[in-house]
Amino acid sequence: MTVFDDLVGQDQAIAVLSRAAAAAGEVVAGGRGAGMTHAWLFTGPPGSGREDAARAFAAALLCPDGGCGHCDQCHQVLIGSHPDLESVRPEGLSYSVKQTRELILRAAGAPTQGRWRVILFEDADRATESAANALLKAIEEPPPRTVWLLCAPAPDDMMITIRSRCRLVNLTTPGTEAVAHVLATRHSVPWETARFAARAAQGHIGRARALALDEGVRARREAVLSIPRSLTGVGECVSAAERLVKTAEEEAAAATTALNESETSELRKLYGEGSTGKGLNRGLVRGGAGALKELEDRQKSRATRIKRDSLDAALLELVSFYRDVLAMQFAAAGVELANDDLRFDLDQLAKSSTPEETLRRIDAIMQCRERLAANVNPQMAVEAMMLALRP
C-alpha cells in the first residue's frame, strides 16, 4: 500500500509523481534529483481527484520512504496535521492578495523536520489578479526546500506566467467500473449501489461516495431530476426555481452557521470580550471591531460560495439528464446513461421532443451557470432557465 493507491484510474499521473518523489529523496540526500521541481500544477475535471493527488504527492515528498502510506509522516499529511504542510483552500469567492502575501511569508520558513516545506493551494484559480501576481513572484524565487502544489480545473485557468513555471499533472475522469470498485471494496457498498452511484456521479469520486453512503444526497438528486417533468406551466417553473434556490440557501446555512458562531466567539475572546479590569473590556472590543467586520465579510463570501456551488451541482445534474435524453434521441449505441435509473422519464422526453429542443435546453442551463458566475440574482437566473426548459 502507498499514498497513491486512492488515486482511481490515474496510472500515468501516479508514475510521474512516484518518479518525482524518488528524485526528491535524492535531493534531500545531496544528489541532483533530476525530475523534481519546486512548483506543480494539478489539473483535471471536477471529481478527478486533483486535491487528493496533490496531497498524496505531499505525503510522498515528506515521507522518508517516498509515500509508504503507513508511517507517521504519511498519516499526518493525509489528516492535515503535518507541521511542514501548509494546506490552503479559498473559502469565499476569491483569494485576496493579502491572504496570498501571508501565505508566502509562511512558505518562506524552513522545514521543521529537515525534508521539504510543502504548500498545497487548492482552487488556486480563485486567486485574484493581484494575488496571482504575488504568487508568481514566490514561485519564481522559492526557498530551496519549498514546493508549491497548485490545483485548478484546467491549465488555462491560471496565468500563463504561473503555469509556464509549473510542471503539469493532468488528471482524467475515472471510469464507472473503477469508481464502483473503490466504493465496493473500501466502503463495503453493495455492488449494484456502487455501480449506480459511480454512473450517476459520472466519475466524480467524492460525489459517488456521497450518493452511495448518504440517503439525503440521493433524495436531493431525485428532487433535482424530477424537475423536467414538473415544468408544465409558468407557475410550476417559478415554483421549481424557488425550491432549487431555497435548497441551496439551506445547505449553505447548514454548512456555515455553527462555524460562523465558533469563529466569531473565538475572535471576540481574542479581543478581550468578557475580560475584567477597568476600561479593559471596552478598549479591546473596540479595537477588534475592524477584525470582526473583516471576519463577517469573509463569512458572507463563504456562504455565497457554498450556495453557488450547491446550485451549480444541481445544474450539472440537469445537464446530465438532458445529455441522456440527447443520447436516446440519437440512439447512440454504447453510450452509458448517467441516469439509467430514470430511463422511463428519459424515454418519454426523448420521444416528445426533438434533438434541437434538447440542445436548446442544455444551452439554457449552461447560460444560467454563466449568469450565476457573473453574480446575477440567483432567483432571476434560475427562473429564466426554468422557463427555457419548459416543453
Side-chain angles (χ1 to χ4, degrees), residues 51-200:
E51 289 79 16
D52 291 340
R55 190 171 296 277
F57 184 45
L61 292 175
L62 296 171
C63 170
D65 295 321
C68 65
H70 53 76
C71 69
D72 288 342
Q73 303 286 339
C74 289
H75 178 69
Q76 288 176 358
V77 170
L78 296 179
I79 67 173
S81 64
H82 197 288
D84 288 330
L85 173 65
E86 183 81 30
S87 186
V88 179
R89 185 176 190 272
E91 293 183 335
L93 298 174
S94 61
Y95 201 73
S96 70
V97 64
K98 177 183 177 182
Q99 292 171 306
T100 303
R101 286 172 178 160
E102 292 172 352
L103 176 63
I104 292 169
L105 286 175
R106 297 196 299 271
T112 61
Q113 298 185 6
R115 292 183 65 82
W116 301 94
R117 183 151 182 80
V118 181
I119 313 300
L120 199 172
F121 195 163
E122 301 180 24
D123 298 327
D125 54 302
R126 293 186 187 176
T128 63
E129 183 177 356
S130 54
N133 286 326
L135 182 61
L136 172 62
K137 294 179 181 178
I139 291 176
E140 284 180 326
E141 302 175 1
R145 288 292 179 86
T146 296
V147 180
W148 288 86
L149 309 180
L150 311 180
C151 301
D156 289 346
D157 291 325
M158 300 299 298
M159 286 172 48
I160 187 171
T161 46
I162 288 181
R163 67 174 185 262
S164 65
R165 288 163 173 78
C166 296
R167 186 168 179 184
L168 180 64
V169 178
N170 187 39
L171 304 171
T172 59
T173 301
T176 297
E177 295 298 321
V179 175
H181 178 73
V182 169
L183 295 177
T185 57
R186 300 182 189 175
H187 300 282
S188 301
V189 176
W191 180 251
E192 286 302 317
T193 302
R195 247 196 135 268
F196 150 75
R199 185 176 60 244

Side-chain angles (χ1 to χ4, degrees), residues 365-377:
I365 299 171
M366 300 307 290
Q367 185 179 50
C368 181
R369 294 183 70 209
E370 293 174 1
R371 287 172 174 171
L372 291 174
N375 290 322
V376 172
N377 180 278

